Amino acid sequence: MPDSKRSKRDVLIEEGAFNPAPDKVLDPKFRGGEFFDPRDAVQVKYEMLRRVSVDKLSITDAADEYGVSRPTYYQAKAHFDTAGIAGLVHARPGPRGPHKLDDDIMAFLKARLVPGEPVRARELARLVRNELRIELHPRTIERALKKTTGR
């Protein structure tokens, strides 16, 4: 059962599906009823893609009608082609995982583990900083080693 204390707007924002410029959506379907919601970015992008694919609206006209740029249209199309509707949900900003930990750094860390002894993440972070000139948080090292070595 939906949480009646949370508004649809709040849910859209929390899920990364809120359209920050609903007033730019010019399609009349998004102006009069309850089904089409110009605040729902996923719905807006899907309808824009559908209009081009099914109704043969030009990409330029569709981008104008749905309040986005042409590059945004192409990005939405690529994401939809790859992942379907789920690809239209805006990805959360920021890195996806430990972006500083490449194969070379992981090999460096694993080579310094002593069998039977606990991981000394602070010491490893210091070694990485001094020898490789890369700042890593000890907790990042702990997580990465636990994922790859179980330690």
Side-chain angles (χ1 to χ4, degrees), residues 13-144:
I13 290 169
E14 288 171 20
E15 298 300 325
F18 182 72
N19 180 7
D23 53 310
K24 291 184 178 180
V25 178
L26 304 177
D27 183 338
K29 290 189 294 284
F30 284 87
R31 292 286 160 223
E34 291 183 24
F35 182 79
F36 290 101
D37 186 347
R39 299 172 306 165
D40 187 337
V42 174
Q43 191 179 42
V44 170
K45 289 176 192 175
Y46 180 83
E47 184 59 16
M48 174 182 64
L49 295 174
R50 190 200 67 76
R51 291 287 312 278
V52 171
S53 178
V54 175
D55 296 345
K56 306 302 181 201
L57 188 65
S58 76
I59 292 169
T60 300
D61 289 344
D64 289 345
E65 188 168 326
Y66 291 91
V68 300
S69 66
R70 282 188 14 240
T72 297
Y73 167 85
Y74 288 113
Q75 185 178 49
K77 173 92 168 82
H79 289 163
F80 182 77
D81 289 347
T82 301
I85 295 262
L88 299 180
V89 177
H90 182 69
R92 300 205 185 278
R96 312 284 183 273
H99 59 284
K100 291 183 182 178
L101 294 177
D102 61 18
D103 292 339
D104 292 337
I105 294 174
M106 288 303 296
F108 178 88
L109 294 171
K110 288 176 186 177
R112 281 144 184 86
L113 294 178
V114 178
E117 289 191 22
V119 172
R120 293 181 178 8
R122 287 182 191 191
E123 184 178 331
L124 290 171
R126 184 183 54 73
L127 287 171
V128 169
R129 181 178 55 252
N130 292 343
E131 293 185 32
L132 303 177
R133 305 282 186 243
I134 296 173
E135 287 289 331
L136 287 177
H137 193 278
R139 187 69 184 120
T140 300
I141 293 170
E142 289 172 350
R143 285 188 195 116

